[in-house]
Amino acid sequence: EKGQAARFHFDRDRDRYIFSHAALRERLGAQLAIHPAAVQFSSGSTGKPHLTEPAAPIRFNLSHAGDYALIGLTTGPAIGVDLESLDRKVEYDDVVAQFFSVAEQIAWREIPPLQRSNTFLRGWTRKEAYVKARGDGLSHASTSYTVDLSEIGRQGLIADELDPTAPNRFHLRTVTAPITYAAACCVNCPPNHPLEFTIH
């Protein structure tokens, strides 16, 4: 982690990385009743980190954007979280055409222009949270699954061509985020499983 932090060119980005990872260690340390420095991580083949020491059934995920970080913890099931900030420089139509499913693209064209930036953030964070919960990385094509782009997003994950049973197993929800940010969480568990969200 120190080596990764040292690779950032700008102090602002380095400080954000250090802060978010320190917050993750503090939260995990509190959950495990150990000093944060004693928490040890390892990464799988897709790069998603997991606990290696101490052995515990805790699964976690971290996302940071701008001045905020989102941490998700569960006691067992896989979890993915994503936090994004509004970036006016993004060409939303181009990104949607390249990374959204056909059904999402159809829904996107129905969105009034003034609502598109917020809709894009909602959709993107939901898609990212889902694929992070799966742990598949880039092997699970973003165009193969469809999420609910609506503000309420009650349907969560609508369909996945590569895993048709996924909508019955993965539960996707929006997380309250600061203004100009959007956040989402996806958990591979029944909808009544206890979840905890911490935004720093």
Side-chain angles (χ1 to χ4, degrees):
E1 287 169 310
K2 291 178 180 177
Q4 178 64 36
R7 285 191 282 271
F8 286 98
H9 182 71
F10 296 106
D11 291 343
R12 177 190 60 190
D13 296 331
R14 183 183 307 112
D15 291 344
R16 288 170 173 170
Y17 176 88
I18 291 171
F19 182 88
S20 62
H21 281 252
L24 174 62
R25 283 186 167 278
E26 287 178 354
R27 196 67 196 90
L28 287 171
Q31 190 74 22
L32 297 164
I34 62 174
H35 192 279
V39 177
Q40 295 183 27
F41 304 121
S42 182
S43 297
S45 58
T46 61
K48 185 175 181 179
H50 59 271
L51 279 175
T52 54
E53 186 66 35
I58 294 176
R59 308 287 285 276
F60 65 90
N61 201 226
L62 166 68
S63 181
H64 50 87
D67 293 327
Y68 295 92
L70 173 64
I71 296 170
L73 299 176
T74 71
T75 54
I79 184 171
V81 299
D82 192 54
L83 175 69
E84 301 288 344
S85 60
L86 186 64
D87 186 348
R88 301 291 183 183
K89 298 177 183 178
V90 173
E91 296 292 339
Y92 298 118
D93 289 336
D94 293 344
V95 177
V96 168
Q98 185 174 357
F99 295 104
F100 280 34
S101 70
V102 172
E104 290 166 340
Q105 293 179 43
I106 292 172
W108 171 259
R109 288 194 285 271
E110 300 297 320
I111 304 297
L114 291 178
Q115 298 177 19
R116 286 194 167 183
S117 58
N118 289 332
T119 300
F120 175 82
L121 279 184
R122 281 198 303 270
W124 186 263
T125 55
R126 290 170 186 172
K127 289 178 75 67
E128 285 290 296
Y130 170 60
V131 78
K132 289 173 74 175
R134 291 190 62 90
D136 293 334
L138 296 176
S139 66
H140 206 83
S142 63
T143 56
S144 68
Y145 56 91
T146 300
V147 302
D148 187 344
L149 299 183
S150 69
E151 185 171 0
I152 297 176
R154 287 197 178 98
Q155 290 181 273
L157 179 66
I158 296 175
D160 187 336
E161 296 175 2
L162 302 179
D163 185 357
T165 66
N168 297 323
R169 303 190 337 268
F170 287 88
H171 299 276
L172 185 57
R173 65 182 67 180
T174 292
V175 178
T176 301
I179 296 174
T180 74
Y181 287 79
C185 173
C186 185
V187 183
N188 185 3
C189 70
N192 60 350
H193 192 88
L195 302 176
E196 176 180 342
F197 303 102
T198 304
I199 292 184
H200 292 275

